[in-house]
Short mmCIF file of all heavy atoms in Angstrom, two decimals:
data_model
loop_
_atom_site.label_atom_id
_atom_site.label_comp_id
_atom_site.label_asym_id
_atom_site.label_seq_id
_atom_site.Cartn_x
_atom_site.Cartn_y
_atom_site.Cartn_z
N MET Y 1 34.18 -117.61 -99.39
CA MET Y 1 35.11 -118.40 -98.61
C MET Y 1 36.52 -118.31 -99.20
O MET Y 1 37.48 -118.15 -98.47
CB MET Y 1 34.60 -119.85 -98.57
CG MET Y 1 35.43 -120.71 -97.70
SD MET Y 1 35.13 -120.36 -95.99
CE MET Y 1 34.46 -121.87 -95.47
N ARG Y 2 36.63 -118.43 -100.54
CA ARG Y 2 37.95 -118.36 -101.17
C ARG Y 2 38.57 -116.98 -100.97
O ARG Y 2 39.77 -116.86 -100.77
CB ARG Y 2 37.85 -118.65 -102.67
CG ARG Y 2 37.69 -120.10 -102.97
CD ARG Y 2 37.82 -120.36 -104.43
NE ARG Y 2 36.87 -119.55 -105.18
CZ ARG Y 2 36.53 -119.76 -106.43
NH1 ARG Y 2 37.06 -120.76 -107.08
NH2 ARG Y 2 35.67 -119.00 -107.03
N SER Y 3 37.72 -115.94 -101.01
CA SER Y 3 38.23 -114.58 -100.82
C SER Y 3 38.87 -114.43 -99.44
O SER Y 3 39.95 -113.87 -99.31
CB SER Y 3 37.10 -113.58 -101.00
OG SER Y 3 37.55 -112.28 -100.75
N ARG Y 4 38.19 -114.93 -98.43
CA ARG Y 4 38.74 -114.84 -97.07
C ARG Y 4 40.02 -115.65 -96.93
O ARG Y 4 40.98 -115.21 -96.29
CB ARG Y 4 37.71 -115.29 -96.04
CG ARG Y 4 36.62 -114.26 -95.82
CD ARG Y 4 35.70 -114.68 -94.72
NE ARG Y 4 34.87 -115.74 -95.28
CZ ARG Y 4 34.04 -116.48 -94.58
NH1 ARG Y 4 33.94 -116.32 -93.29
NH2 ARG Y 4 33.31 -117.41 -95.16
N LEU Y 5 40.05 -116.83 -97.53
CA LEU Y 5 41.25 -117.66 -97.46
C LEU Y 5 42.43 -116.97 -98.14
O LEU Y 5 43.53 -116.91 -97.60
CB LEU Y 5 40.99 -119.02 -98.11
CG LEU Y 5 42.16 -119.99 -98.12
CD1 LEU Y 5 42.65 -120.28 -96.70
CD2 LEU Y 5 41.77 -121.28 -98.83
N PHE Y 6 42.19 -116.43 -99.34
CA PHE Y 6 43.26 -115.74 -100.04
C PHE Y 6 43.75 -114.55 -99.23
O PHE Y 6 44.96 -114.33 -99.10
CB PHE Y 6 42.82 -115.28 -101.43
CG PHE Y 6 43.90 -114.54 -102.15
CD1 PHE Y 6 44.92 -115.23 -102.79
CD2 PHE Y 6 43.94 -113.15 -102.15
CE1 PHE Y 6 45.94 -114.55 -103.44
CE2 PHE Y 6 44.94 -112.47 -102.79
CZ PHE Y 6 45.95 -113.17 -103.44
N SER Y 7 42.84 -113.75 -98.68
CA SER Y 7 43.24 -112.60 -97.86
C SER Y 7 44.08 -113.03 -96.68
O SER Y 7 45.07 -112.39 -96.35
CB SER Y 7 42.00 -111.85 -97.37
OG SER Y 7 41.33 -111.26 -98.44
N HIS Y 8 43.70 -114.14 -96.06
CA HIS Y 8 44.47 -114.66 -94.93
C HIS Y 8 45.89 -115.03 -95.37
O HIS Y 8 46.87 -114.66 -94.73
CB HIS Y 8 43.77 -115.87 -94.33
CG HIS Y 8 44.57 -116.55 -93.27
ND1 HIS Y 8 44.77 -116.00 -92.01
CD2 HIS Y 8 45.26 -117.71 -93.28
CE1 HIS Y 8 45.53 -116.81 -91.31
NE2 HIS Y 8 45.84 -117.86 -92.06
N TRP Y 9 45.99 -115.75 -96.49
CA TRP Y 9 47.31 -116.12 -97.01
C TRP Y 9 48.13 -114.88 -97.35
O TRP Y 9 49.29 -114.79 -97.00
CB TRP Y 9 47.18 -116.97 -98.27
CG TRP Y 9 46.75 -118.37 -98.05
CD1 TRP Y 9 46.80 -119.09 -96.88
CD2 TRP Y 9 46.19 -119.24 -99.03
NE1 TRP Y 9 46.31 -120.35 -97.09
CE2 TRP Y 9 45.93 -120.47 -98.39
CE3 TRP Y 9 45.88 -119.10 -100.37
CZ2 TRP Y 9 45.39 -121.55 -99.07
CZ3 TRP Y 9 45.33 -120.17 -101.04
CH2 TRP Y 9 45.09 -121.37 -100.40
N PHE Y 10 47.52 -113.97 -98.05
CA PHE Y 10 48.21 -112.76 -98.49
C PHE Y 10 48.77 -112.00 -97.28
O PHE Y 10 49.93 -111.60 -97.26
CB PHE Y 10 47.25 -111.87 -99.28
CG PHE Y 10 47.91 -110.66 -99.89
CD1 PHE Y 10 48.54 -110.75 -101.12
CD2 PHE Y 10 47.86 -109.44 -99.25
CE1 PHE Y 10 49.13 -109.64 -101.69
CE2 PHE Y 10 48.45 -108.33 -99.80
CZ PHE Y 10 49.09 -108.43 -101.04
N ASN Y 11 47.95 -111.81 -96.27
CA ASN Y 11 48.37 -111.06 -95.08
C ASN Y 11 49.36 -111.85 -94.22
O ASN Y 11 50.20 -111.25 -93.55
CB ASN Y 11 47.15 -110.65 -94.26
CG ASN Y 11 46.30 -109.66 -94.99
OD1 ASN Y 11 46.80 -108.83 -95.75
ND2 ASN Y 11 45.01 -109.73 -94.80
N SER Y 12 49.30 -113.16 -94.26
CA SER Y 12 50.21 -113.98 -93.47
C SER Y 12 51.65 -113.94 -93.98
O SER Y 12 52.58 -114.14 -93.22
CB SER Y 12 49.74 -115.43 -93.45
OG SER Y 12 48.52 -115.54 -92.80
N TYR Y 13 51.83 -113.71 -95.25
CA TYR Y 13 53.15 -113.76 -95.84
C TYR Y 13 53.77 -112.39 -96.07
O TYR Y 13 54.70 -112.26 -96.83
CB TYR Y 13 53.12 -114.58 -97.14
CG TYR Y 13 52.88 -116.03 -96.87
CD1 TYR Y 13 51.62 -116.58 -97.08
CD2 TYR Y 13 53.89 -116.84 -96.37
CE1 TYR Y 13 51.39 -117.92 -96.80
CE2 TYR Y 13 53.66 -118.17 -96.10
CZ TYR Y 13 52.40 -118.71 -96.32
OH TYR Y 13 52.17 -120.02 -96.04
N GLN Y 14 53.22 -111.38 -95.45
CA GLN Y 14 53.81 -110.04 -95.47
C GLN Y 14 53.87 -109.41 -96.87
O GLN Y 14 54.67 -108.54 -97.11
CB GLN Y 14 55.21 -110.06 -94.85
CG GLN Y 14 55.28 -110.77 -93.54
CD GLN Y 14 55.32 -109.85 -92.35
OE1 GLN Y 14 55.76 -108.73 -92.47
NE2 GLN Y 14 54.85 -110.29 -91.22
N PHE Y 15 53.04 -109.86 -97.78
CA PHE Y 15 53.01 -109.28 -99.12
C PHE Y 15 52.41 -107.88 -99.12
O PHE Y 15 52.64 -107.10 -100.03
CB PHE Y 15 52.21 -110.16 -100.09
CG PHE Y 15 52.89 -111.43 -100.45
CD1 PHE Y 15 52.31 -112.64 -100.14
CD2 PHE Y 15 54.11 -111.43 -101.09
CE1 PHE Y 15 52.92 -113.84 -100.47
CE2 PHE Y 15 54.74 -112.61 -101.43
CZ PHE Y 15 54.14 -113.82 -101.11
N GLN Y 16 51.63 -107.56 -98.08
CA GLN Y 16 50.97 -106.26 -98.05
C GLN Y 16 51.97 -105.11 -98.01
O GLN Y 16 51.63 -104.00 -98.37
CB GLN Y 16 49.96 -106.17 -96.90
CG GLN Y 16 50.56 -106.15 -95.52
CD GLN Y 16 50.73 -107.52 -94.92
OE1 GLN Y 16 50.72 -108.53 -95.62
NE2 GLN Y 16 50.91 -107.59 -93.63
N GLU Y 17 53.19 -105.36 -97.58
CA GLU Y 17 54.21 -104.31 -97.58
C GLU Y 17 54.68 -103.99 -99.00
O GLU Y 17 55.04 -102.87 -99.29
CB GLU Y 17 55.41 -104.74 -96.73
CG GLU Y 17 55.08 -104.87 -95.26
CD GLU Y 17 56.22 -105.44 -94.46
OE1 GLU Y 17 57.34 -105.57 -94.99
OE2 GLU Y 17 55.98 -105.78 -93.29
N GLU Y 18 54.66 -104.99 -99.87
CA GLU Y 18 55.16 -104.82 -101.23
C GLU Y 18 54.04 -104.61 -102.26
O GLU Y 18 54.26 -104.03 -103.31
CB GLU Y 18 55.97 -106.05 -101.64
CG GLU Y 18 56.77 -105.86 -102.89
CD GLU Y 18 57.72 -107.03 -103.14
OE1 GLU Y 18 58.02 -107.80 -102.21
OE2 GLU Y 18 58.15 -107.15 -104.29
N TYR Y 19 52.83 -105.08 -101.92
CA TYR Y 19 51.71 -105.01 -102.86
C TYR Y 19 50.50 -104.35 -102.23
O TYR Y 19 50.24 -104.50 -101.05
CB TYR Y 19 51.31 -106.41 -103.32
CG TYR Y 19 52.36 -107.08 -104.16
CD1 TYR Y 19 53.33 -107.88 -103.57
CD2 TYR Y 19 52.38 -106.91 -105.54
CE1 TYR Y 19 54.30 -108.50 -104.34
CE2 TYR Y 19 53.35 -107.52 -106.31
CZ TYR Y 19 54.31 -108.31 -105.71
OH TYR Y 19 55.28 -108.90 -106.47
N TYR Y 20 49.76 -103.65 -103.05
CA TYR Y 20 48.46 -103.09 -102.66
C TYR Y 20 47.41 -104.12 -103.09
O TYR Y 20 47.41 -104.55 -104.24
CB TYR Y 20 48.21 -101.77 -103.37
CG TYR Y 20 46.83 -101.22 -103.15
CD1 TYR Y 20 46.56 -100.44 -102.03
CD2 TYR Y 20 45.80 -101.49 -104.04
CE1 TYR Y 20 45.29 -99.94 -101.81
CE2 TYR Y 20 44.53 -101.00 -103.83
CZ TYR Y 20 44.28 -100.23 -102.72
OH TYR Y 20 43.01 -99.75 -102.50
N ALA Y 21 46.56 -104.52 -102.18
CA ALA Y 21 45.51 -105.49 -102.51
C ALA Y 21 44.22 -105.06 -101.86
O ALA Y 21 44.20 -104.57 -100.72
CB ALA Y 21 45.90 -106.88 -102.03
N ARG Y 22 43.15 -105.23 -102.62
CA ARG Y 22 41.82 -104.91 -102.09
C ARG Y 22 40.79 -105.79 -102.79
O ARG Y 22 40.93 -106.10 -103.97
CB ARG Y 22 41.48 -103.45 -102.32
CG ARG Y 22 40.32 -103.02 -101.45
CD ARG Y 22 40.17 -101.53 -101.41
NE ARG Y 22 39.17 -101.17 -102.40
CZ ARG Y 22 39.21 -100.11 -103.15
NH1 ARG Y 22 40.21 -99.27 -103.06
NH2 ARG Y 22 38.28 -99.85 -104.01
N THR Y 23 39.78 -106.19 -102.05
CA THR Y 23 38.70 -107.00 -102.59
C THR Y 23 37.37 -106.31 -102.30
O THR Y 23 37.17 -105.79 -101.20
CB THR Y 23 38.71 -108.41 -101.96
OG1 THR Y 23 39.96 -109.02 -102.27
CG2 THR Y 23 37.57 -109.26 -102.48
N GLU Y 24 36.50 -106.31 -103.28
CA GLU Y 24 35.15 -105.77 -103.14
C GLU Y 24 34.16 -106.85 -103.53
O GLU Y 24 34.46 -107.71 -104.36
CB GLU Y 24 34.96 -104.55 -104.06
CG GLU Y 24 35.79 -103.36 -103.68
CD GLU Y 24 35.28 -102.62 -102.46
OE1 GLU Y 24 34.09 -102.77 -102.11
OE2 GLU Y 24 36.08 -101.89 -101.87
N MET Y 25 32.97 -106.78 -102.94
CA MET Y 25 31.92 -107.72 -103.27
C MET Y 25 30.81 -106.97 -104.00
O MET Y 25 30.38 -105.91 -103.57
CB MET Y 25 31.37 -108.37 -102.00
CG MET Y 25 30.45 -109.55 -102.27
SD MET Y 25 28.71 -109.12 -102.42
CE MET Y 25 28.33 -108.56 -100.78
N ILE Y 26 30.37 -107.55 -105.12
CA ILE Y 26 29.29 -106.98 -105.91
C ILE Y 26 28.17 -108.02 -105.95
O ILE Y 26 28.41 -109.19 -106.24
CB ILE Y 26 29.75 -106.71 -107.37
CG1 ILE Y 26 30.98 -105.82 -107.40
CG2 ILE Y 26 28.62 -106.15 -108.20
CD1 ILE Y 26 30.76 -104.41 -106.94
N ARG Y 27 26.94 -107.58 -105.68
CA ARG Y 27 25.79 -108.49 -105.79
C ARG Y 27 25.19 -108.36 -107.18
O ARG Y 27 24.95 -107.26 -107.66
CB ARG Y 27 24.72 -108.13 -104.77
CG ARG Y 27 24.93 -108.78 -103.48
CD ARG Y 27 23.68 -108.74 -102.63
NE ARG Y 27 24.07 -108.99 -101.28
CZ ARG Y 27 24.30 -110.19 -100.79
NH1 ARG Y 27 24.13 -111.24 -101.54
NH2 ARG Y 27 24.68 -110.35 -99.55
N ASP Y 28 24.95 -109.50 -107.80
CA ASP Y 28 24.33 -109.53 -109.11
C ASP Y 28 23.27 -110.62 -109.10
O ASP Y 28 23.59 -111.81 -108.97
CB ASP Y 28 25.38 -109.82 -110.19
CG ASP Y 28 24.81 -109.82 -111.59
OD1 ASP Y 28 23.81 -109.10 -111.83
OD2 ASP Y 28 25.35 -110.54 -112.44
N GLU Y 29 22.02 -110.19 -109.19
CA GLU Y 29 20.89 -111.12 -109.14
C GLU Y 29 20.97 -112.04 -107.93
O GLU Y 29 20.75 -113.25 -108.02
CB GLU Y 29 20.80 -111.91 -110.45
CG GLU Y 29 20.55 -111.03 -111.66
CD GLU Y 29 20.44 -111.81 -112.96
OE1 GLU Y 29 20.44 -113.06 -112.91
OE2 GLU Y 29 20.35 -111.16 -114.00
N GLY Y 30 21.32 -111.47 -106.79
CA GLY Y 30 21.38 -112.22 -105.55
C GLY Y 30 22.67 -112.99 -105.32
O GLY Y 30 22.90 -113.51 -104.24
N GLU Y 31 23.53 -113.05 -106.31
CA GLU Y 31 24.80 -113.77 -106.19
C GLU Y 31 25.90 -112.81 -105.76
O GLU Y 31 25.97 -111.68 -106.23
CB GLU Y 31 25.19 -114.40 -107.53
CG GLU Y 31 24.27 -115.48 -108.00
CD GLU Y 31 24.33 -116.73 -107.15
OE1 GLU Y 31 25.45 -117.10 -106.71
OE2 GLU Y 31 23.27 -117.33 -106.91
N GLU Y 32 26.76 -113.27 -104.88
CA GLU Y 32 27.92 -112.49 -104.46
C GLU Y 32 29.08 -112.76 -105.41
O GLU Y 32 29.46 -113.91 -105.63
CB GLU Y 32 28.33 -112.84 -103.04
CG GLU Y 32 27.31 -112.46 -102.01
CD GLU Y 32 27.73 -112.85 -100.61
OE1 GLU Y 32 28.73 -113.58 -100.45
OE2 GLU Y 32 27.04 -112.43 -99.67
N ASN Y 33 29.62 -111.70 -105.99
CA ASN Y 33 30.78 -111.80 -106.88
C ASN Y 33 31.89 -110.95 -106.28
O ASN Y 33 31.67 -109.78 -105.94
CB ASN Y 33 30.44 -111.28 -108.27
CG ASN Y 33 29.39 -112.13 -108.94
OD1 ASN Y 33 29.69 -113.22 -109.37
ND2 ASN Y 33 28.16 -111.63 -109.02
N TYR Y 34 33.06 -111.52 -106.17
CA TYR Y 34 34.19 -110.81 -105.59
C TYR Y 34 35.14 -110.35 -106.68
O TYR Y 34 35.45 -111.09 -107.60
CB TYR Y 34 34.92 -111.71 -104.59
CG TYR Y 34 34.09 -111.94 -103.35
CD1 TYR Y 34 33.16 -112.97 -103.30
CD2 TYR Y 34 34.21 -111.09 -102.26
CE1 TYR Y 34 32.37 -113.17 -102.18
CE2 TYR Y 34 33.41 -111.27 -101.14
CZ TYR Y 34 32.50 -112.32 -101.11
OH TYR Y 34 31.72 -112.49 -100.00
N ILE Y 35 35.55 -109.10 -106.56
CA ILE Y 35 36.47 -108.49 -107.51
C ILE Y 35 37.67 -108.01 -106.71
O ILE Y 35 37.52 -107.32 -105.71
CB ILE Y 35 35.81 -107.31 -108.25
CG1 ILE Y 35 34.55 -107.79 -108.98
CG2 ILE Y 35 36.79 -106.66 -109.20
CD1 ILE Y 35 33.71 -106.69 -109.54
N SER Y 36 38.86 -108.39 -107.15
CA SER Y 36 40.07 -108.04 -106.42
C SER Y 36 41.06 -107.31 -107.31
O SER Y 36 41.04 -107.46 -108.53
CB SER Y 36 40.74 -109.28 -105.86
OG SER Y 36 39.91 -109.91 -104.93
N ILE Y 37 41.93 -106.59 -106.65
CA ILE Y 37 43.03 -105.91 -107.33
C ILE Y 37 44.29 -106.14 -106.51
O ILE Y 37 44.27 -106.06 -105.28
CB ILE Y 37 42.73 -104.41 -107.51
CG1 ILE Y 37 43.84 -103.73 -108.30
CG2 ILE Y 37 42.51 -103.73 -106.19
CD1 ILE Y 37 43.52 -102.28 -108.67
N ILE Y 38 45.36 -106.47 -107.19
CA ILE Y 38 46.68 -106.61 -106.57
C ILE Y 38 47.66 -105.90 -107.47
O ILE Y 38 47.78 -106.22 -108.64
CB ILE Y 38 47.10 -108.08 -106.41
CG1 ILE Y 38 46.08 -108.85 -105.56
CG2 ILE Y 38 48.49 -108.18 -105.80
CD1 ILE Y 38 46.34 -110.33 -105.50
N VAL Y 39 48.34 -104.90 -106.91
CA VAL Y 39 49.28 -104.09 -107.69
C VAL Y 39 50.52 -103.83 -106.84
O VAL Y 39 50.42 -103.54 -105.64
CB VAL Y 39 48.67 -102.73 -108.10
CG1 VAL Y 39 49.62 -101.92 -108.95
CG2 VAL Y 39 47.34 -102.90 -108.78
N LYS Y 40 51.66 -103.93 -107.45
CA LYS Y 40 52.90 -103.62 -106.75
C LYS Y 40 52.87 -102.16 -106.31
O LYS Y 40 52.53 -101.28 -107.10
CB LYS Y 40 54.09 -103.89 -107.66
CG LYS Y 40 55.39 -103.98 -106.92
CD LYS Y 40 56.40 -104.75 -107.75
CE LYS Y 40 57.70 -104.82 -107.03
NZ LYS Y 40 57.96 -106.07 -106.40
N ARG Y 41 53.19 -101.89 -105.07
CA ARG Y 41 53.12 -100.52 -104.53
C ARG Y 41 54.05 -99.54 -105.24
O ARG Y 41 53.82 -98.34 -105.21
CB ARG Y 41 53.40 -100.52 -103.03
CG ARG Y 41 52.30 -101.17 -102.23
CD ARG Y 41 52.54 -101.01 -100.74
NE ARG Y 41 51.51 -101.68 -99.98
CZ ARG Y 41 50.35 -101.14 -99.63
NH1 ARG Y 41 50.06 -99.91 -100.00
NH2 ARG Y 41 49.47 -101.83 -98.93
N THR Y 42 55.07 -100.05 -105.90
CA THR Y 42 56.00 -99.17 -106.61
C THR Y 42 55.58 -98.90 -108.05
O THR Y 42 56.28 -98.21 -108.78
CB THR Y 42 57.41 -99.79 -106.62
OG1 THR Y 42 57.34 -101.09 -107.22
CG2 THR Y 42 57.98 -99.89 -105.21
N HIS Y 43 54.43 -99.43 -108.46
CA HIS Y 43 53.95 -99.22 -109.84
C HIS Y 43 53.77 -97.71 -110.06
O HIS Y 43 53.16 -97.02 -109.25
CB HIS Y 43 52.63 -99.94 -110.06
CG HIS Y 43 52.22 -100.01 -111.49
ND1 HIS Y 43 51.85 -98.92 -112.21
CD2 HIS Y 43 52.15 -101.06 -112.33
CE1 HIS Y 43 51.55 -99.27 -113.44
NE2 HIS Y 43 51.74 -100.59 -113.53
N PRO Y 44 54.32 -97.18 -111.14
CA PRO Y 44 54.26 -95.73 -111.36
C PRO Y 44 52.85 -95.18 -111.54
O PRO Y 44 52.63 -93.97 -111.35
CB PRO Y 44 55.09 -95.52 -112.63
CG PRO Y 44 55.19 -96.84 -113.28
CD PRO Y 44 55.04 -97.87 -112.21
N GLN Y 45 51.89 -96.01 -111.86
CA GLN Y 45 50.51 -95.54 -112.04
C GLN Y 45 49.56 -96.09 -110.98
O GLN Y 45 48.36 -96.20 -111.19
CB GLN Y 45 50.02 -95.93 -113.44
CG GLN Y 45 50.80 -95.24 -114.53
CD GLN Y 45 50.40 -95.73 -115.90
OE1 GLN Y 45 50.18 -96.92 -116.11
NE2 GLN Y 45 50.30 -94.81 -116.83
N LEU Y 46 50.10 -96.41 -109.82
CA LEU Y 46 49.31 -97.02 -108.75
C LEU Y 46 48.05 -96.21 -108.44
O LEU Y 46 46.96 -96.76 -108.38
CB LEU Y 46 50.15 -97.21 -107.49
CG LEU Y 46 49.41 -97.77 -106.27
CD1 LEU Y 46 48.90 -99.17 -106.55
CD2 LEU Y 46 50.30 -97.76 -105.05
N LEU Y 47 48.18 -94.92 -108.25
CA LEU Y 47 47.01 -94.10 -107.88
C LEU Y 47 45.96 -94.10 -108.99
O LEU Y 47 44.76 -94.15 -108.70
CB LEU Y 47 47.44 -92.68 -107.52
CG LEU Y 47 48.33 -92.57 -106.28
CD1 LEU Y 47 48.73 -91.12 -106.04
CD2 LEU Y 47 47.65 -93.16 -105.06
N ASP Y 48 46.37 -94.05 -110.24
CA ASP Y 48 45.43 -94.10 -111.35
C ASP Y 48 44.72 -95.45 -111.41
O ASP Y 48 43.52 -95.52 -111.68
CB ASP Y 48 46.15 -93.85 -112.69
CG ASP Y 48 46.65 -92.43 -112.83
OD1 ASP Y 48 46.07 -91.51 -112.19
OD2 ASP Y 48 47.61 -92.23 -113.59
N ILE Y 49 45.45 -96.51 -111.14
CA ILE Y 49 44.87 -97.86 -111.16
C ILE Y 49 43.83 -97.99 -110.05
O ILE Y 49 42.72 -98.50 -110.27
CB ILE Y 49 45.97 -98.93 -111.02
CG1 ILE Y 49 46.84 -98.92 -112.28
CG2 ILE Y 49 45.38 -100.30 -110.75
CD1 ILE Y 49 48.12 -99.72 -112.17
N ILE Y 50 44.15 -97.51 -108.86
CA ILE Y 50 43.20 -97.56 -107.74
C ILE Y 50 41.97 -96.73 -108.05
O ILE Y 50 40.83 -97.15 -107.80
CB ILE Y 50 43.87 -97.12 -106.43
CG1 ILE Y 50 44.95 -98.12 -106.02
CG2 ILE Y 50 42.84 -96.95 -105.32
CD1 ILE Y 50 45.84 -97.65 -104.89
N GLU Y 51 42.16 -95.56 -108.62
CA GLU Y 51 41.04 -94.68 -108.96
C GLU Y 51 40.12 -95.36 -110.00
O GLU Y 51 38.90 -95.33 -109.87
CB GLU Y 51 41.55 -93.36 -109.51
CG GLU Y 51 40.44 -92.38 -109.87
CD GLU Y 51 40.98 -91.07 -110.43
OE1 GLU Y 51 42.18 -90.79 -110.27
OE2 GLU Y 51 40.17 -90.34 -111.03
N THR Y 52 40.71 -95.99 -110.99
CA THR Y 52 39.92 -96.70 -112.01
C THR Y 52 39.17 -97.86 -111.38
O THR Y 52 37.98 -98.09 -111.67
CB THR Y 52 40.82 -97.19 -113.15
OG1 THR Y 52 41.45 -96.06 -113.75
CG2 THR Y 52 40.03 -97.95 -114.19
N PHE Y 53 39.83 -98.60 -110.51
CA PHE Y 53 39.18 -99.71 -109.81
C PHE Y 53 37.98 -99.19 -109.02
O PHE Y 53 36.88 -99.76 -109.10
CB PHE Y 53 40.19 -100.39 -108.89
CG PHE Y 53 39.64 -101.57 -108.13
CD1 PHE Y 53 39.49 -102.80 -108.74
CD2 PHE Y 53 39.30 -101.45 -106.79
CE1 PHE Y 53 38.99 -103.90 -108.04
CE2 PHE Y 53 38.81 -102.52 -106.08
CZ PHE Y 53 38.65 -103.76 -106.70
N ASP Y 54 38.17 -98.11 -108.28
CA ASP Y 54 37.08 -97.53 -107.49
C ASP Y 54 35.90 -97.10 -108.37
O ASP Y 54 34.74 -97.32 -108.02
CB ASP Y 54 37.58 -96.33 -106.68
CG ASP Y 54 38.50 -96.72 -105.54
OD1 ASP Y 54 38.48 -97.91 -105.14
OD2 ASP Y 54 39.24 -95.85 -105.06
N LYS Y 55 36.19 -96.50 -109.51
CA LYS Y 55 35.13 -96.08 -110.43
C LYS Y 55 34.36 -97.27 -110.98
O LYS Y 55 33.14 -97.24 -111.10
CB LYS Y 55 35.71 -95.25 -111.58
CG LYS Y 55 36.13 -93.86 -111.17
CD LYS Y 55 36.72 -93.11 -112.35
CE LYS Y 55 37.19 -91.73 -111.94
NZ LYS Y 55 37.81 -91.01 -113.06
N GLN Y 56 35.08 -98.33 -111.32
CA GLN Y 56 34.44 -99.53 -111.85
C GLN Y 56 33.56 -100.19 -110.79
O GLN Y 56 32.44 -100.62 -111.07
CB GLN Y 56 35.48 -100.52 -112.38
CG GLN Y 56 36.25 -100.04 -113.58
CD GLN Y 56 35.34 -99.84 -114.78
OE1 GLN Y 56 34.57 -100.71 -115.14
NE2 GLN Y 56 35.43 -98.68 -115.40
N ILE Y 57 34.05 -100.25 -109.57
CA ILE Y 57 33.26 -100.82 -108.47
C ILE Y 57 31.99 -100.00 -108.27
O ILE Y 57 30.90 -100.55 -108.13
CB ILE Y 57 34.09 -100.89 -107.16
CG1 ILE Y 57 35.25 -101.88 -107.31
CG2 ILE Y 57 33.22 -101.23 -105.96
CD1 ILE Y 57 34.83 -103.30 -107.60
N ALA Y 58 32.12 -98.68 -108.26
CA ALA Y 58 30.95 -97.81 -108.09
C ALA Y 58 29.95 -98.03 -109.21
O ALA Y 58 28.73 -98.08 -108.98
CB ALA Y 58 31.39 -96.35 -108.04
N MET Y 59 30.43 -98.19 -110.45
CA MET Y 59 29.54 -98.43 -111.58
C MET Y 59 28.79 -99.75 -111.39
O MET Y 59 27.57 -99.80 -111.55
CB MET Y 59 30.33 -98.48 -112.88
CG MET Y 59 29.44 -98.74 -114.10
SD MET Y 59 30.26 -99.41 -115.54
CE MET Y 59 30.96 -100.91 -114.91
N PHE Y 60 29.50 -100.81 -111.03
CA PHE Y 60 28.84 -102.10 -110.83
C PHE Y 60 27.83 -102.06 -109.69
O PHE Y 60 26.77 -102.67 -109.77
CB PHE Y 60 29.87 -103.20 -110.56
CG PHE Y 60 30.59 -103.68 -111.80
CD1 PHE Y 60 31.96 -103.53 -111.91
CD2 PHE Y 60 29.89 -104.27 -112.84
CE1 PHE Y 60 32.63 -103.97 -113.04
CE2 PHE Y 60 30.55 -104.71 -113.98
CZ PHE Y 60 31.93 -104.56 -114.08
N LYS Y 61 28.17 -101.34 -108.62
CA LYS Y 61 27.26 -101.29 -107.47
C LYS Y 61 26.01 -100.46 -107.77
O LYS Y 61 24.96 -100.70 -107.20
CB LYS Y 61 27.99 -100.73 -106.24
CG LYS Y 61 28.94 -101.74 -105.64
CD LYS Y 61 29.55 -101.25 -104.36
CE LYS Y 61 30.40 -102.35 -103.73
NZ LYS Y 61 30.95 -101.95 -102.43
N SER Y 62 26.12 -99.49 -108.67
CA SER Y 62 24.97 -98.65 -108.98
C SER Y 62 24.15 -99.17 -110.16
O SER Y 62 23.04 -98.70 -110.41
CB SER Y 62 25.42 -97.22 -109.28
OG SER Y 62 26.17 -97.17 -110.49
N TYR Y 63 24.67 -100.16 -110.88
CA TYR Y 63 23.99 -100.68 -112.06
C TYR Y 63 22.69 -101.39 -111.66
O TYR Y 63 22.68 -102.23 -110.78
CB TYR Y 63 24.91 -101.68 -112.81
CG TYR Y 63 24.23 -102.34 -113.98
CD1 TYR Y 63 23.96 -101.63 -115.14
CD2 TYR Y 63 23.83 -103.67 -113.92
CE1 TYR Y 63 23.33 -102.23 -116.21
CE2 TYR Y 63 23.19 -104.28 -114.98
CZ TYR Y 63 22.94 -103.56 -116.13
OH TYR Y 63 22.32 -104.15 -117.17
N LYS Y 64 21.62 -101.01 -112.32
CA LYS Y 64 20.31 -101.63 -112.08
C LYS Y 64 19.82 -102.20 -113.40
O LYS Y 64 19.44 -101.47 -114.30
CB LYS Y 64 19.31 -100.59 -111.57
CG LYS Y 64 19.76 -99.82 -110.35
CD LYS Y 64 19.73 -100.69 -109.12
CE LYS Y 64 20.06 -99.85 -107.90
NZ LYS Y 64 21.16 -100.28 -107.14
N PRO Y 65 19.80 -103.53 -113.53
CA PRO Y 65 19.32 -104.12 -114.78
C PRO Y 65 17.86 -103.79 -115.03
O PRO Y 65 17.09 -103.63 -114.09
CB PRO Y 65 19.52 -105.63 -114.59
CG PRO Y 65 19.80 -105.83 -113.16
CD PRO Y 65 20.16 -104.51 -112.54
N GLN Y 66 17.50 -103.70 -116.29
CA GLN Y 66 16.12 -103.35 -116.64
C GLN Y 66 15.30 -104.57 -116.93
O GLN Y 66 15.72 -105.58 -117.30
CB GLN Y 66 16.12 -102.41 -117.83
CG GLN Y 66 16.84 -101.13 -117.50
CD GLN Y 66 16.87 -100.18 -118.69
OE1 GLN Y 66 16.31 -100.44 -119.74
NE2 GLN Y 66 17.57 -99.08 -118.53
#
């Protein structure tokens, strides 16, 4: 619920033009956990940051506890 509210606020105030934002949901033992990233679009390492975020999300989604 908080994730949706924040996304609504973020998009309502036109921040998406100045900032890159994305939220992903990870399930852990049946619980939904939300992970977000917000980075200024002019950040010199924006693409590297997004790539690292994507790799971390993929790792969490593929992790199977023993």
Side-chain angles (χ1 to χ4, degrees):
M1 185 73 116
R2 283 189 304 196
S3 177
R4 285 185 286 172
L5 180 59
F6 178 80
S7 293
H8 174 72
W9 285 341
F10 186 85
N11 293 327
S12 295
Y13 291 102
Q14 312 258 333
F15 289 118
Q16 69 270 18
E17 294 173 10
E18 192 172 342
Y19 293 91
Y20 173 86
R22 196 166 96 217
T23 299
E24 293 285 339
M25 191 269 294
I26 305 292
R27 273 196 198 279
D28 182 29
E29 297 181 6
E31 294 291 322
E32 294 179 350
N33 296 286
Y34 290 87
I35 302 171
S36 296
I37 184 172
I38 301 173
V39 183
K40 196 158 179 103
R41 290 186 182 273
T42 57
H43 192 292
Q45 296 174 319
L46 177 64
L47 295 178
D48 291 334
I49 293 168
I50 293 169
E51 181 181 344
T52 300
F53 181 79
D54 289 341
K55 286 179 182 178
Q56 294 296 310
I57 294 299
M59 180 202 58
F60 283 118
K61 286 186 175 184
S62 67
Y63 176 73
K64 306 288 185 237
Q66 298 179 4

